[in-house]
């Protein structure tokens, strides 16, 4: 068991934990089962989140051993994640979706100060305005679906199976390359956006997970030859831990006013013939996001956003 995750052994233990937490502290419950494959696949993601959000309480409940708790929360599928504050459910996630799990924890986690003291969260405007959960979120709902494309995708496992209006079932749907390990994903957005981080989940087949990637922005109709000659906005070497769904921060100064994102995947973790991606998530803000205070003297169109993002660093 991960050091920052508590395995619930009884109903009384769980109820005691709920009563002991401050009303603003987030409690994340992972309802799982030993026979559940997706539960095991997403376990490393939950462990990473528990290490990143030390002010959030994480617990795991085996539905077979703690049937009373599973019935209380009306759990009918595994894994199911419940999000509680002050003993009340504020959100739920059914299924093993690392991007959605990341997004919901980020959304409800708040700040360490807010989790430990209601007074602290209300006395500082700076803390409240700088919390990532206030404005940073998934940008997949802002994409232009009919503009999505991926070069060298397998016809059996295309990009549309994990991104777009009709993705397939989690755990069995994935993007896979065709002739070799390279992929070139193009994602257009409905309006200008500002990108903050990217998350790629490939833990089901970690040897096929992406390794070397290049990110390009605002380059219509890019192909593999273009990607070799153009200067990327950022190059990333993904580690085995990062491809378990961990958020990878981007150089936000280079990702302002983005209309399209292009992801070139050069190779995978163990030089397999093909590359596999089970899910991909992009985090940031839409073009209409604003801050309460803009620093004087900054250039129009980027200063206030930079100030807000730097305040979160």
């Amino acid at each position: 068991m991960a050091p920052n995750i508590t395995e619930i052994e009884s109903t009384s233990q769980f109820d005691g934990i709920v009563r002991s937490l401050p009303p603003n502290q987030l409690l994340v419950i992972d309802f799982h089962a030993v026979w559940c494959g997706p539960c095991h696949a997403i376990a490393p993601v939950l462990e990473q989140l528990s290490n990143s959000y030390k002010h959030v309480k994480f617990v795991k409940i085996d539905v077979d051993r703690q049937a009373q708790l599973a019935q209380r929360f009306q759990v009918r599928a595994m894994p199911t994640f419940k999000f509680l504050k002050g003993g009340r459910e504020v959100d739920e996630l059914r299924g093993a979706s690392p991007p959605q799990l990341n997004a919901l924890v980020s959304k409800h986690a708040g700040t360490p100060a807010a989790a430990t003291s209601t007074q602290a969260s209300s006395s500082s405007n700076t803390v409240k305005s700088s919390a990532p959960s206030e404005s940073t979120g998934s940008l997949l709902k802002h994409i232009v679906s009919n503009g999505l494309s991926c070069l060298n995708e397998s016809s059996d496992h295309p990009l549309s199976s994990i991104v777009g209006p009709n993705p397939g079932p989690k755990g069995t749907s994935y993007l896979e390359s065709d002739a070799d390990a390279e992929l070139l994903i193009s994602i257009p957005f409905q309006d200008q956006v500002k990108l903050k981080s990217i998350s790629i989940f490939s833990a089901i087949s970690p040897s096929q997970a992406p390794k070397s990637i290049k990110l390009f922005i605002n380059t219509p109709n890019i192909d593999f030859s273009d990607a070799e000659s153009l200067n990327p906005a950022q190059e990333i070497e993904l580690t085995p831990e990062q491809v378990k769904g961990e958020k990878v921060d981007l150089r936000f100064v280079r990702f302002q006013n983005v209309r399209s994102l292009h992801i070139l995947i050069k190779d995978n973790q163990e030089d397999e013939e093909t590359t596999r991606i089970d899910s991909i998530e992009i985090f940031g803000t839409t073009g209409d996001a604003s801050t309460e205070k803009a620093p004087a003297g900054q250039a129009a169109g980027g200063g206030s956003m930079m100030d807000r993002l730097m305040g979160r660093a």
Side-chain angles (χ1 to χ4, degrees), residues 31-291:
F31 286 95
H32 68 102
V34 295
W35 44 263
C36 169
C39 297
H40 292 290
I42 203 169
V45 180
L46 189 72
E47 181 177 356
Q48 178 64 39
L49 287 169
S50 72
N51 294 331
S52 301
Y53 293 89
K54 297 293 182 64
H55 58 291
V56 174
K57 181 66 176 178
F58 292 84
V59 302
K60 293 175 72 73
I61 296 178
D62 187 318
V63 296
D64 294 319
R65 297 176 58 192
Q66 306 299 329
Q68 184 177 350
L69 287 172
Q71 184 177 9
R72 179 196 297 183
F73 285 94
Q74 299 181 338
V75 175
R76 297 182 177 88
M78 268 70 68
T80 291
F81 297 90
K82 298 281 187 175
F83 301 82
L84 276 63
K85 280 190 176 181
R88 296 189 177 188
E89 184 175 331
V90 296
D91 224 324
E92 178 191 57
L93 171 63
R94 294 185 182 183
S97 172
Q100 292 183 50
L101 182 59
N102 270 289
L104 287 174
V105 173
S106 176
K107 176 182 177 182
H108 295 293
T111 62
T116 56
S117 171
T118 302
Q119 181 179 1
S121 65
S122 62
S123 62
S124 173
N125 291 332
T126 302
V127 170
K128 288 164 60 176
S129 63
S130 64
S133 59
E134 290 295 320
S135 56
T136 301
S138 170
L139 293 176
L140 291 187
K141 58 182 175 290
H142 298 287
I143 64 176
V144 180
S145 298
N146 59 12
L148 287 168
S149 67
C150 181
L151 299 183
N152 195 40
E153 65 181 2
S154 165
S155 58
D156 293 329
H157 301 286
L159 176 64
S160 59
S161 64
I162 62 169
V163 178
N166 299 301
K170 297 291 184 182
T172 58
S173 301
Y174 55 91
L175 166 65
E176 187 174 23
S177 61
D178 187 18
D180 53 34
E182 288 192 312
L183 289 165
L184 182 54
I185 302 170
S186 295
I187 303 175
F189 297 98
Q190 297 169 0
D191 299 294
Q192 289 186 350
V193 297
K194 299 172 175 61
L195 308 185
K196 189 175 190 298
S197 58
I198 188 171
S199 169
I200 294 176
F201 178 70
S202 297
I204 295 178
S205 181
S207 64
Q208 292 179 280
K211 183 179 180 181
S212 305
I213 68 173
K214 296 181 180 181
L215 304 180
F216 305 85
I217 61 171
N218 303 335
T219 308
N221 304 318
I222 187 174
D223 58 23
F224 284 112
S225 60
D226 295 326
E228 291 298 329
S229 59
L230 294 172
N231 291 324
Q234 186 168 346
E235 296 186 55
I236 302 172
E237 287 286 316
L238 295 171
T239 67
E241 290 300 315
Q242 288 173 325
V243 294
K244 294 176 181 178
E246 179 180 327
K247 282 187 180 180
V248 179
D249 289 336
L250 304 180
R251 297 172 183 168
F252 53 83
V253 175
R254 301 186 181 183
F255 291 90
Q256 308 292 306
N257 305 317
V258 176
R259 294 304 300 263
S260 61
L261 173 67
H262 313 276
I263 307 169
L264 173 65
I265 297 167
K266 292 289 296 178
D267 51 24
N268 50 54
Q269 294 291 322
E270 296 185 15
D271 294 325
E272 296 281 359
E273 183 177 351
T274 61
T275 297
R276 169 172 168 160
I277 298 175
D278 296 281
S279 65
I280 186 169
E281 184 64 273
I282 304 164
F283 299 94
T285 60
T286 54
D288 58 358
S290 60
T291 55

